[in-house]
Amino acid sequence: MNQDISGTLSQPKKRNTFLKVGGIVLCILISITVIIAASLAGITRWLTPERVAAIISKESAKYLRADISTAPVDYTIWSSFPSLSIRCDSVRIVSHSLDGSILASTHEVRASLNILKALKGEIELDDVHIVSPYVNIVSVNDTLNNYSILKDDRTKPHLKRVSTGKINIDGPAVVRYTDMSAPSEVRLSVDEAVITPPSGNDGEFDIQMRARVTGHYKKVSLPFPLPLTLTGKLDLSSNPFRLSTKSFKIAAGHTEAVVTADISGNNPVTIASLTAEIESPDILEFAPLLPPEEQSPINEALKTIRNPSPVPMNLYASLLSPYTATSQEIPALEAIVKIPDVSFSIPISPKKEISVRDLSLNVGFSCDKGDSNGGRLTINECSFKASDGIVCSVSGCLDSLLGKTPSLKADIKAKGNMGQIEQGFLPSSSMRADGDIVAKSHIEGTLSDINGAFSPKRIKIRGEVKSPLLTINDTSCNLSSRLSRFYLSYAAEGKASGAASKGDLHINAGNITASYGKTSMSADSVSLLIGAKLRGTPFSPSSCHAAYSSENDSILSAEVSHTPLYVTPALPSMLQTVLSLADISADLSLKDGILNTPAYPAANSFSNVHISSTSDSLKIRSMNLESGPTSAALKGEISNLRGFLLGSAGSPLKVSLDADLSDVDINRLCGAYFKGKEALSGIPCSYKASPEGDMNAGDTVCVAIPRNITADIRLRSDHAEYLQHRFSPLSACISMRDGVASINSLTIGAPYCSARLDWTYATADLDDIYMTLDADIDGFDMREFLTHFPQLSEGMPQLEDISGKIDVKADGKFLMFPNMLVNAPSMTAEAKLTGDSIMVERDDSEIRHASHMMLIRGDNPIAVNGLDIHASFHDNLLLVEPFTLDFGGYRVLMAGVNNLQGEIYYHAGLLASPFHLPFGINIVGNYRHPSVRFGGRWVNDGRERDIASNLEDDVDVNIMRELRHGWLVFVNAAAKYDAENNQNSVSSVN
């Protein structure tokens, strides 16, 4: 029972203890609540809205060079404990710079502050609402602006850790940026923005924002509001001045960018990392955003492109190492731009367009940190196809892009079929080409920055073009050509000043064939080297020229303006500019070649050709020509070429030519010429020179030798053949200078004589136009001569009985008026004939009978001793001075005179004879009606004065007309002989 009582008594005791403890705890809680309530009541009573606004302004002044002002702040703690709900109206941030300009303002800001964490030194904000914010960023120059409001780290206190929850920005929200130095003004209007705090411990906020951009930045104007959409993650939890993004997307129009960044807001601002990936389905939508001067060419180009497809673009950019915003160094970064597979077409005529397919572009940019000359732009790939006929690729790089002298390297490769290229680019042309080509180019050099735009400072270019077989045809003119093993190489080098700019072009071809109608040409092992170099100063030709030779020269030259005294070429202005500013050189060589033409159907070939030229001269170093059996080896030079082409009237041109000929067959050369005329006209050749007929105006045209042409031409031949005659050697020197043309030392070697002729035609003085002729004939063998000209002995058989050798020396001169008629009274001539070993055979019955009648006994040949004849022409008279003939015991005195009207007086007097009967015979009267009179043995002195008279006025002799007609007779006779005797000499031309 005691146990029961004791158990019963113990239960009330435990219950009382629990109640006591509970009561104590409840009292404590009530006391704490009362204390907190009393404290909060005291805080709210002391912390008035005015004091909160003052505290905000005071605390911000510790960290900012700006003033933050707000209307009285409303807050509550009772309904949101342990958070403090704060509401601020009309918040303004006024910068200390730029005369206290407003940096930012809001209509209202609401937020919740965790009081318990604030007591621990942490600031945690939640449920932040910013209503109608306005940010006004103004920059005057690089150092003066209104947004540099953070104080230096050494003067501001340590900022406590700040974190925030969801942030809502209620529109309209505006960010306005103004740059006075640009000038620029950009406005960002935010329609909606939500910042959501991280759900876990990663510290990343989710951001969503829709906005529009308007305004202009420098010369780039936005013609319409550009919509922007931002979504992604933003880390603001670690430090209020540290910002990092992850998968941050920015969409502008149809273009989207993904940005990942880590930026420290401590002073100075440091970008720890930054990457951006941009994808655009069509970058052409940004064409209207370009500056007007750059927009117009692009828009014009877009107008010409038919059915342009979208031009997609992928861009990747990354910062390689941390970068401080205030650093003078260039950030280390890299970027890659890719444009894959673009196709479009460009019309070149109403019915034809060029198609560009599979255009791919891969361009990279990199920059080294701390290198003021850093920066490298690399074209990793640029390839496309054009008109199904060409495939092209480009690669290269631009180093030291940010320096003053960037360096450039580029490689260009292309290949295609010439036929497809020609059809794609020249569809309406009559030209047709075929053959595969491969081209390569390498470009390197340096650039200079002139007025913000890169220009060449020193550039080198080299490349090559190859084709195993290339054909080109032009249907409009029946031109066809074929090149095998074609190889072209080129190199160029230049500076911005142009003083040292130069280039070289080298063409090699294994074999070239070309045809024009029925004319064809082929050449083997052709090599052409062309070089050009820009001059520092324009070329200035010398002022030297041939002087006028008489006072009346200028007056007379007006009468003969149809034949100028000086040759002055008229070049197009563009060609004059090129010759003046560039030194051009060329070198051509080929092994051998053939020319077939119906206009000259002979076996024409050339070999060992080497020609080099500069702007000032042209040199034929070697050239071998063949036409049938005739061949020639040529060498020569033309100098002062540029001075002649660019100089004033009178600038001289100098020509020098050497020609070594062998086996010159004049018959076959003339025969080929006539066969060509016959083939072209279809009219059989008559081989007759047309009769001269009446004199026409063209016969009296003065032919003046240009005074500024200086020429020396030397011709040498081992053998020459004309008709049945063979000459060895045949040589001459042709010269031209100061208005005088001459053939010097024309040497003709024949089996029956050796002759040397000198001919001069002078127009240096228009008052004194004249011709001169000097001739020397040595060793004229009469018997050998008659052997080669049997028709003479057939008409005069007695000539066959005469043998011996005769030497003749003759010279003459006559004047011509500008109408080219011979001034007969001015004609003068001298001739001297000497004979040696002259014998007269007496086999002929007439000569034998005549010698017997003259009492010359025997049948032995009669020797003629001492033949020496001198004749002269002057004052319209031909005078043969007295000379004697000694033969067979006889001495005969002979002399005579005649004028150009046909009046004659010739005398033969017998000075000695076996029968001692001195007498003489005089032939007097006229050519048409001569009479013979007997007289004394001596000449009647003074007879020449009796028949001297002036020519009649109607006697007109045009020497140029006579020479032209004589030349036609000469050529026709050779062609006729060739047609009759060399039927196989003309080659067949298809």
Side-chain angles (χ1 to χ4, degrees), residues 537-773:
T537 56
F539 173 80
S540 178
S542 61
S543 60
C544 64
H545 58 81
Y548 290 115
S549 57
S550 72
E551 295 180 357
N552 297 329
D553 220 15
S554 58
I555 299 175
L556 293 173
S557 63
E559 300 179 5
V560 294
S561 57
H562 48 268
T563 171
L565 301 180
Y566 299 95
V567 176
T568 304
L571 298 180
S573 58
M574 179 178 294
L575 185 55
Q576 292 183 27
T577 302
V578 172
L579 290 176
S580 176
L581 298 178
D583 291 332
I584 303 173
S585 63
D587 192 273
L588 171 67
S589 64
L590 57 88
K591 184 178 180 181
D592 50 46
I594 297 175
L595 174 65
N596 294 321
T597 172
Y600 194 81
N604 304 308
S605 63
F606 46 89
S607 62
N608 193 27
V609 177
H610 185 189
I611 301 174
S612 61
S613 68
T614 65
S615 299
D616 301 306
S617 66
L618 184 145
K619 291 183 179 180
I620 302 176
R621 300 186 180 275
S622 65
M623 180 185 294
N624 296 333
L625 303 177
E626 292 185 6
S627 179
T630 302
S631 63
L634 304 180
K635 289 184 179 180
E637 180 179 3
I638 300 175
S639 56
N640 195 39
L641 183 59
R642 180 160 49 179
F644 170 74
L645 295 174
L646 300 181
S648 58
S651 296
L653 180 69
K654 300 179 180 179
V655 180
S656 176
L657 179 65
D658 284 332
D660 287 323
L661 302 98
S662 62
D663 296 327
V664 180
D665 194 330
I666 300 175
N667 302 317
R668 296 191 179 187
L669 294 176
C670 295
Y673 169 72
F674 272 79
K675 286 295 183 182
K677 288 178 58 179
E678 185 176 290
L680 294 178
S681 65
I683 302 175
C685 298
S686 61
Y687 304 109
K688 292 182 180 180
S690 301
E692 291 188 347
D694 296 333
M695 189 178 299
N696 55 48
D699 293 329
T700 60
V701 172
C702 173
V703 178
I705 304 300
R707 297 176 180 175
N708 60 330
I709 303 296
T710 300
D712 290 290
I713 303 173
R714 289 165 290 277
L715 306 174
R716 294 177 294 274
S717 173
D718 296 333
H719 304 280
E721 187 172 341
Y722 176 71
L723 303 180
Q724 72 274 22
H725 311 297
R726 190 171 180 84
F727 305 97
S728 178
L730 180 64
S731 64
C733 294
I734 302 173
S735 66
M736 183 188 301
R737 53 177 41 84
D738 299 330
V740 179
S742 61
I743 300 177
N744 302 314
S745 300
L746 172 58
T747 302
I748 303 173
Y752 44 83
C753 74
S754 176
R756 187 190 65 82
L757 303 176
D758 292 327
W759 173 84
T760 299
Y761 171 58
T763 61
D765 186 347
L766 297 182
D767 277 334
D768 188 20
I769 301 176
Y770 65 86
M771 282 189 184
T772 62
L773 178 66

Side-chain angles (χ1 to χ4, degrees), residues 53-250:
I55 292 173
I56 292 175
S57 177
K58 180 180 179 181
E59 291 297 321
S60 63
K62 297 179 181 179
Y63 303 96
L64 305 176
R65 291 193 295 270
D67 296 330
I68 297 180
S69 62
T70 179
V73 178
D74 293 336
Y75 67 90
T76 178
I77 195 174
W78 301 106
S79 61
S80 59
F81 185 83
S83 295
L84 176 66
S85 294
I86 303 175
R87 178 178 178 273
C88 302
D89 293 332
S90 301
V91 179
R92 302 175 67 190
I93 302 177
V94 180
S95 173
H96 290 172
S97 61
L98 298 182
D99 297 328
S101 63
I102 297 176
L103 176 61
S105 65
T106 65
H107 178 72
E108 178 184 352
V109 177
R110 301 192 303 272
S112 296
L113 173 66
N114 191 311
I115 297 176
L116 299 179
K117 290 187 176 181
L119 296 175
K120 297 180 180 180
E122 298 180 9
I123 298 175
E124 182 182 278
L125 299 174
D126 193 12
D127 196 18
V128 179
H129 282 262
I130 303 175
V131 180
S132 299
Y134 174 77
V135 179
N136 181 38
I137 302 174
V138 181
S139 173
V140 177
N141 50 46
D142 293 339
T143 58
L144 183 59
N145 52 68
N146 71 340
Y147 55 83
S148 300
I149 61 175
L150 293 177
K151 287 188 175 181
D152 189 85
D153 290 335
R154 294 171 297 179
T155 60
K156 67 181 181 181
H158 177 69
L159 187 64
K160 299 178 181 180
R161 178 178 176 84
V162 178
S163 61
T164 183
K166 184 176 181 180
I167 300 176
N168 288 285
I169 300 176
D170 297 334
V174 176
V175 178
R176 180 172 175 265
Y177 170 76
T178 303
D179 189 343
M180 301 294 189
S181 61
S184 302
E185 183 174 344
V186 180
R187 184 184 182 94
L188 177 68
S189 300
V190 180
D191 298 327
E192 180 183 359
V194 177
I195 302 176
T196 304
S199 57
N201 296 323
D202 53 4
E204 296 175 349
F205 289 79
D206 289 328
I207 296 179
Q208 295 181 357
M209 184 176 72
R210 291 185 300 104
R212 288 167 289 111
V213 181
T214 58
H216 66 277
Y217 181 76
K218 294 184 178 180
K219 296 182 179 182
V220 179
S221 298
L222 297 176
F224 52 84
L226 180 66
L228 290 178
T229 302
L230 283 75
T231 60
K233 294 183 177 296
L234 183 68
D235 188 353
L236 291 173
S237 60
S238 58
N239 191 296
F241 298 102
R242 186 174 183 87
L243 179 146
S244 62
T245 64
K246 183 178 180 181
S247 300
F248 197 79
K249 295 182 179 180
I250 303 175

